[in-house]
Amino acid sequence: MRWYSTHEACGILSRFEHVAFIGDSLLRHVTNAIYVILRQDLGYGGLADWELDFTEAEDIQAKEDCICAAQTGKHVCSDAVIGRTAWLAGNVSRSTDSNPLACASDHNVDISWTRSDQHPISENGLYEITRALPSPSFDTPAKPYAFIMHNTFWNNVNVTASALWAHQISNHLNGSLLGAPIHRLFVTANAGGLSKHERYMEAQGNQQLGNFEKQITPILEEVGIDVLGFFNMSLQSLTSDGTHAGFSTNLLKAQMVLNWLDRLET
């Protein structure tokens, strides 16, 4: 596995028409970490920091509370998610220069995060997934799309429900992108911690998460969806609530996703 620089990450992502992250808050935190790398800003790079008016007294405290690791560790911070790269163009960060991404001018990066929790996905939920996507370009050869998906806890670590959820998204994309090249990745949940509430331990504990990863991998790979496991690498990592990974672990997850993207044929 490689650890990519900001310049290298920009180059990898620019090889795709669009890179979409679809899932729950665990995947939102990975998207936060991707933006930290792309904006070269450990302090606030993962946040839509224009949502926090740092001139107001209460938001000055929020700025202090949201720096670095707290970007994904507190609800007041992680809720300020950057839904799509295009949002940055009109809302240049107060903590960076005039370029919203620390990418070279010839690196056109377009990524998004869309919340999708449970199976079955409603028609409106499917619409929200495709609404974030640009139309296929007429470049020759066409640039591919990449979709990174995660669904575990909202289906109570149910392999069948999560696999059907991924299938539903995959089938919907096939009908929406008119033959454009598509790459799909399902990422599993990180290991849980001791602070996970006891009422979730039986159904969502580490034994269940490990078995989930082992069981869902062949099911999805059989239908052309790659699987990237986060369970083993996170067994000894820190988690504030027993479910969500810490900032350092999310940066590692982001680098693992970049490694997968870099290995694809584009």
Side-chain angles (χ1 to χ4, degrees):
M1 174 180 159
R2 287 189 55 188
W3 193 274
Y4 295 102
S5 67
T6 293
H7 176 74
E8 290 170 328
C10 293
I12 292 166
L13 291 164
S14 68
R15 287 160 28 199
F16 297 85
E17 188 75 32
H18 187 80
V19 178
F21 294 81
I22 304 168
D24 59 14
S25 56
L26 272 73
L27 196 58
R28 181 185 72 209
H29 291 173
V30 179
T31 314
N32 289 142
I34 290 283
Y35 277 116
V36 166
I37 297 168
L38 292 178
R39 300 173 82 186
Q40 212 167 29
D41 182 359
L42 284 171
Y44 302 103
L47 298 179
D49 49 359
W50 57 87
E51 298 287 349
L52 301 172
D53 185 353
F54 293 158
T55 62
E56 299 293 335
E58 63 270 20
D59 287 326
I60 291 174
Q61 183 62 50
K63 179 181 179 182
E64 295 176 356
D65 289 343
C66 291
I67 195 168
C68 294
Q71 293 178 73
T72 60
K74 297 183 179 181
H75 288 298
V76 67
C77 313
S78 60
D79 285 348
V81 64
I82 303 169
R84 184 165 178 187
T85 313
W87 294 7
L88 293 169
N91 297 284
V92 176
S93 168
R94 295 177 174 83
S95 54
T96 62
D97 59 23
S98 58
N99 187 355
L101 296 179
C103 294
S105 58
D106 59 340
H107 286 162
N108 183 24
V109 174
D110 189 21
I111 67 178
S112 65
W113 173 77
T114 303
R115 185 179 189 92
S116 181
D117 295 324
Q118 294 175 293
H119 179 267
I121 307 170
S122 67
E123 287 299 319
N124 184 64
L126 293 172
Y127 167 75
E128 289 298 320
I129 289 171
T130 50
R131 188 169 70 97
L133 306 179
S135 299
S137 70
F138 295 98
D139 293 344
T140 306
K143 293 168 69 174
Y145 290 75
F147 295 89
I148 295 91
M149 302 175 282
H150 171 262
N151 180 299
T152 304
F153 294 110
W154 286 86
N155 285 317
N156 208 27
V157 198
N158 184 295
V159 172
T160 299
S162 292
L164 289 172
W165 174 86
H167 289 163
Q168 188 178 5
I169 292 175
S170 183
N171 292 336
H172 178 69
L173 294 173
N174 288 338
S176 301
L177 293 177
L178 303 176
I182 300 173
H183 299 284
R184 304 167 179 85
L185 176 69
F186 184 94
V187 299
T188 64
N190 53 268
L194 296 176
S195 53
K196 184 185 287 286
H197 196 284
E198 61 182 16
R199 68 179 175 178
Y200 298 120
M201 290 298 289
E202 182 176 352
Q204 301 181 5
N206 279 343
Q207 181 175 352
Q208 288 73 24
L209 292 173
N211 287 335
F212 176 93
E213 181 174 296
K214 181 178 180 179
Q215 293 166 14
I216 202 169
T217 297
I219 295 173
L220 295 182
E221 288 181 343
E222 187 176 354
V223 294
I225 301 174
D226 292 341
V227 178
L228 179 59
F230 289 153
F231 180 74
N232 284 339
M233 72 85 171
S234 58
L235 271 170
Q236 293 182 301
S237 63
L238 297 177
T239 167
S240 61
D241 60 3
T243 297
H244 294 86
F247 187 55
S248 298
T249 305
N250 282 310
L251 285 172
L252 178 55
K253 289 181 180 182
Q255 290 287 345
M256 291 172 71
V257 170
L258 288 170
N259 272 263
W260 175 76
L261 290 167
D262 194 25
R263 285 160 173 75
L264 296 175
E265 292 185 9
T266 56

